[in-house]
Structure formats: C-alpha cells, structure tokens
Amino acid sequence: MIREYPDESAGPFPDPPRTFTDREDRAIRVEVADEDDREALVDMYVDFAPEDRAQGIPPSRESAIRRWLDDILAEECLNVIAWHGDDAVGHATLVPDEHDAYELAIFVLAEYQGASIGTELVETLLGHGAAEGIEHVWLTVERWNDPAIALYKKVGFETTDSERFELEMAISLD
C-alpha cells in the first residue's frame, strides 16, 4: 500500500532529552529509550489499563509484552520514554515500514493522560526522528478516539485515509 503524505513539512520539533512540567505540576523527563529501560517499560505495560489498549496493543500478558518490546525496541526503531521520577509513565515509538516511512504508536498510563504528556512525547519523538533523517510518519487511530485525534492534529498530522474502521493520519518532517 502506498501512503500519501502532506506536501508541507511540520516542525521543527524538540530533540530529547527534555524536561517539562505537565498540567498536574509534575516534572516529566522525556529521554531516548535504551535496553536498560526494558524492565521499566514492562512494569508500565503490566499496569496499563485494559480500556486504554487499542488495536491489540499493548499486549496484556507479561510474556507477550516482553516479546512485543523485543520488536519495538529493536535497533531500527526509535523510542522515547516519559519518566516521572523513576517510573516510566509514557512511551512512544517509531517502527519502520517497508516503504521508508515509520509508523507511530504512543502509550500513556491512564493517571497521566490529559496532562500534556502525550503531546510532549509525540513532539519529542518526531524531533528525534527528524534528527535521524526520518521524513515520513504515519499512524492509525480508532475513529472514536477524539483526544488522540486532537493531539495528532495539533502536532501537525493530517488525515490521509478515512474509509476504514480506523483513521490513517500522516505527517512529513523537516
């Protein structure tokens, strides 16, 4: 499948690492993920609320979470983590597809949603991706996930396919 991408590039976006204060007055750090962060991500995903799982991810069983993390923490993927103290509270990833583009996925623990962490994670991941030479990013989102759709539009994603069960959105990077 050949995807369409906006002609206009979005950005610039900030590079990691960065620290910000969320809407709940919490200090949040966003850093590039590395192999040492695996167990913190396992812990985060084990605690992930079932109602916040979409399109089958993240998996719910710890063994499946570990296998899934093997895939998305692979060398060719880009990952950033939002930290509150020593706890991973959000994670965003760019996974390459077969067309020299990357699929974006983002996850924020329920108690941290609605506090601007998702926006900061996506923007920082896109900044990291642009710095690594990534030009095109796409994602799918469930049609009824209005908060996520609003976040993606705010950052610069445009709807490129709305004829399916999910919306497909894309962005071109500087």
Side-chain angles (χ1 to χ4, degrees), residues 5 10 27 63:
Y5 295 92
S63 59

Short mmCIF file of all heavy atoms in Angstrom, two decimals, residues 5 10 27 63:
data_model
loop_
_atom_site.label_atom_id
_atom_site.label_comp_id
_atom_site.label_asym_id
_atom_site.label_seq_id
_atom_site.Cartn_x
_atom_site.Cartn_y
_atom_site.Cartn_z
N TYR A 5 1.45 11.53 1.84
CA TYR A 5 1.97 12.37 2.93
C TYR A 5 1.74 13.83 2.58
O TYR A 5 1.76 14.19 1.40
CB TYR A 5 3.46 12.08 3.16
CG TYR A 5 3.67 10.68 3.65
CD1 TYR A 5 3.91 9.64 2.76
CD2 TYR A 5 3.58 10.38 5.00
CE1 TYR A 5 4.07 8.34 3.21
CE2 TYR A 5 3.74 9.08 5.46
CZ TYR A 5 3.97 8.07 4.56
OH TYR A 5 4.11 6.79 5.01
N ALA A 10 6.09 19.50 8.70
CA ALA A 10 5.76 20.02 10.03
C ALA A 10 7.04 20.13 10.85
O ALA A 10 8.04 19.50 10.54
CB ALA A 10 4.77 19.10 10.72
N ALA A 27 7.08 17.16 37.34
CA ALA A 27 8.26 17.24 36.48
C ALA A 27 8.37 15.93 35.70
O ALA A 27 8.45 14.85 36.29
CB ALA A 27 9.51 17.46 37.32
N SER A 63 4.39 -12.02 29.33
CA SER A 63 5.22 -12.71 28.34
C SER A 63 5.02 -12.10 26.95
O SER A 63 5.98 -11.92 26.19
CB SER A 63 4.91 -14.21 28.32
OG SER A 63 3.54 -14.43 28.01
#
